[in-house]
Amino acid sequence: MASSAANDGAKPARPKGLKLLRIALRQRKSATMLGFGFSSGLPYALLIGTLNAWLGEEKIDLATIGVLSWIGLSYSFKFLWSPLVDRMPLPGLDRLGRRKSWILLCQMVLVLGFGGLAATNPATAIGTFALFAFFAAFASATQDVAVDAWRIEVADEATPVELLSSIYQFGYRIASIVGGALALVMAGRMSWPLVYLSMAGLIVAIMLVVTLRAPDTPRAEQGALHAALAQPGELAPSARWAALAVVGVSWAWAIGTIGHFMVGMLAPADPASPHPSVSDFTRSYGPWIVVATVVVPLVVAALTNWLKAHGRAVLTAPDARVSPLRTAANHLYVALVSPLAELSGRLRWGVLIVIGMILTYTLCYNIWSSFAFPFYLEHLKYTKDEVAFASKLFGIFMTILGISLGGYLFTALGRMPTILIGAILPILGNFVYADLAEGARHIDAVGNATGLNALFALFGFDARMVRLLLAISFENVSTGIAGAAFVAYMSGIVSKSYTAVQYALLSSLTFLIGSLGRGIAGEAFDTYGYATVFRWTAAAGLVAVVMVLLEWVRVARAERK
């Protein structure tokens, strides 16, 4: 009887693959989620990866490509304007639905952005080209905010959020193949502008077929928002606004500084006033940007905890006052201050180790990831079809294998050993790529010794293609394990009280150092060559290993208490 009851109460296994797709197409909400997942994944693939293949073909220098890759910071900073997406009704579009209206607006901007890219020649107007790319990336990141909220709100017993999340990932993966492999194959047979116009047409089709017909949820009442902040013991509004102002000004300065440099770097060249140096900017401003976006918010968070613990500047009675301005400020406070305040209050000094690990864990492969297509296409001289197959088809399967291995290692070895393995393997992957850049002598030796060269030859691959497949295999399996380990780690470190906001904030920090480093990496590739920079980025990964070991010690001590 007990066994039967347990079996009755057990959750059914989550469907995968084609079975998941069939379920998605059977229900309106899940079918919509599939379309939204595709709509989120397509612009990311086109803007963060495939766009650099186009720029490389146009002989844009790698330093400029590195700076242009900073448009990816839109995805890192999207939590900053998420309160606006959450609360602001869009004139003329709001009648479509609170989430649909924003999704539709973002999709329209994406279509215009891709159209602008198609109409601009990056070789002669890189500044205008970058502007269109930035608007498209901003619209894509904003669409992600609305889609994430839609997924959580429309979930019910028939379509639980876990199923919708799986369907979202399925659509996202399909889009990464379309925006990566298919786009490269198309570019081998037509012009790049026509490729991006075709991708804009896909987004228009999603707008007409999916977005306009999607269900939506009613808008929440203004007065019910963040009622907990009005309870006795919470910070008084004046103290919250002061904390928010300090953090907000810090973030605004960081974003403004990065934006100003990007504008100067991508402006037309003037012999009398050459472009600024990316490495000089990163050395001079990079540490201060980290201080403004990480250290200052942490200090403010610790100060708010101290004030509450000592009963300073706190409410002594419930505060029932409600206004649109206060509601907006509460949203920003919960997005920018509360997540780190909770984390620092819970972990105390250990929060420094956690933040240090989050900032550095993906460093050694995030820095150079934007240069993969120029490396394959321009430096190694592979064809677009070869790179499309190796990187975006074969490579995706290797990533899935790595994610699966990461899940197995978690079960077999535990959390911290798997996280440590995930920090070490990408370092070795960078050495593999350094070898590939120098002729792949060691890759050939491993392929011959293991019989992999002979195995791949049975499928018609020559030695040159086998080198690329083996390098991508090791890299994608390594980063798959690392990614699975890191997502699981961050999911475990966040508070259930701030799950969505805290995870969004912490995950954004994972891209911060890597995104800043891409600019200097591009200049370094031009100056020192790929192999040397791959070894440098491998050395940078050692910082993550040290931080993981420190976190392992912290966790072990916390478990003994």
Side-chain angles (χ1 to χ4, degrees), residues 63-64 67 260-267 273-281 523:
T64 302
V67 171
H260 181 266
F261 176 77
M262 286 183 67
V263 170
M265 184 68 184
L266 298 172
S273 178
H275 284 153
S277 167
V278 182
S279 58
D280 288 346
F281 172 82
E523 189 171 277

Side-chain angles (χ1 to χ4, degrees), residues 180-494:
L182 180 60
L184 285 177
V185 170
M186 292 171 65
R189 293 156 178 80
M190 62 180 70
S191 68
W192 278 110
L194 192 55
V195 170
Y196 273 74
L197 284 177
S198 301
M199 295 300 163
L202 281 178
I203 296 177
V204 171
I206 292 172
M207 288 166 55
L208 297 176
V209 177
V210 178
T211 307
L212 291 175
R213 299 181 66 251
D216 212 329
T217 55
R219 190 172 296 279
E221 290 294 328
Q222 289 277 98
L225 183 66
H226 300 270
L229 293 177
Q231 299 305 309
E234 292 292 332
L235 283 183
S238 58
R240 290 204 303 271
W241 307 161
L244 179 59
V246 173
V247 175
V249 168
S250 296
W251 273 99
W253 174 85
I255 295 173
T257 300
I258 293 171
H260 181 266
F261 176 77
M262 286 183 67
V263 170
M265 184 68 184
L266 298 172
D270 181 0
S273 178
H275 284 153
S277 167
V278 182
S279 58
D280 288 346
F281 172 82
T282 305
R283 280 193 296 268
S284 300
Y285 290 97
W288 292 110
I289 290 171
V290 174
V291 168
T293 56
V294 179
V295 177
V296 170
L298 270 177
V299 171
V300 171
L303 180 59
T304 60
N305 287 337
W306 184 88
L307 290 173
K308 289 172 66 175
H310 291 79
R312 306 282 183 87
V314 297
L315 294 171
T316 57
D319 183 4
R321 289 174 292 178
V322 176
S323 70
L325 180 61
R326 176 169 292 200
T327 297
N330 283 345
H331 262 298
L332 289 172
Y333 182 83
V334 170
L336 298 178
V337 180
S338 291
L340 285 179
E342 190 283 331
L343 196 68
S344 62
R346 174 161 45 94
L347 301 180
R348 303 181 69 81
W349 288 106
V351 72
L352 299 177
I353 297 175
V354 170
I355 295 296
M357 179 177 155
I358 288 172
L359 286 172
T360 59
Y361 192 79
T362 63
L363 183 62
C364 76
Y365 56 90
N366 261 347
I367 282 181
W368 71 267
S369 59
S370 291
F371 305 96
F373 282 155
F375 174 59
Y376 300 144
L377 294 169
E378 304 305 319
H379 182 75
L380 299 179
K381 305 301 182 183
Y382 286 96
T383 67
K384 293 185 179 74
D385 287 1
E386 288 172 333
V387 174
F389 173 79
S391 179
K392 291 300 181 181
L393 291 177
F394 182 80
I396 283 178
F397 286 111
M398 291 299 101
T399 300
I400 293 172
L401 174 61
I403 293 171
S404 301
L405 285 173
Y408 170 76
L409 290 174
F410 252 87
T411 303
L413 302 179
R415 183 176 66 158
M416 293 310 301
T418 304
I419 292 171
L420 181 60
I421 292 172
I424 293 172
L425 287 179
I427 296 175
L428 302 179
N430 278 22
F431 284 112
V432 171
Y433 270 81
D435 183 54
L436 182 64
E438 293 179 328
R441 181 167 59 93
H442 296 97
I443 294 175
D444 285 345
V446 171
N448 289 326
T450 58
L452 288 172
N453 285 348
L455 176 62
F456 278 111
L458 295 176
F459 294 93
F461 297 112
D462 60 17
R464 181 171 167 275
M465 189 65 178
V466 172
R467 294 166 185 164
L468 181 62
L469 292 174
L470 290 180
I472 286 177
S473 294
F474 188 89
E475 170 71 9
N476 286 21
V477 169
S478 299
T479 55
I481 292 172
F486 200 52
V487 168
Y489 168 77
M490 287 209 302
S491 298
I493 204 72
V494 299

Side-chain angles (χ1 to χ4, degrees), residues 20 33-34 37 151 163-175:
L20 179 63
M33 189 76 267
L34 183 69
R151 180 177 67 248
L163 176 64
L164 291 176
S165 297
S166 296
I167 294 170
Y168 173 84
Q169 288 296 327
F170 198 90
Y172 201 97
R173 292 294 180 185
I174 294 173

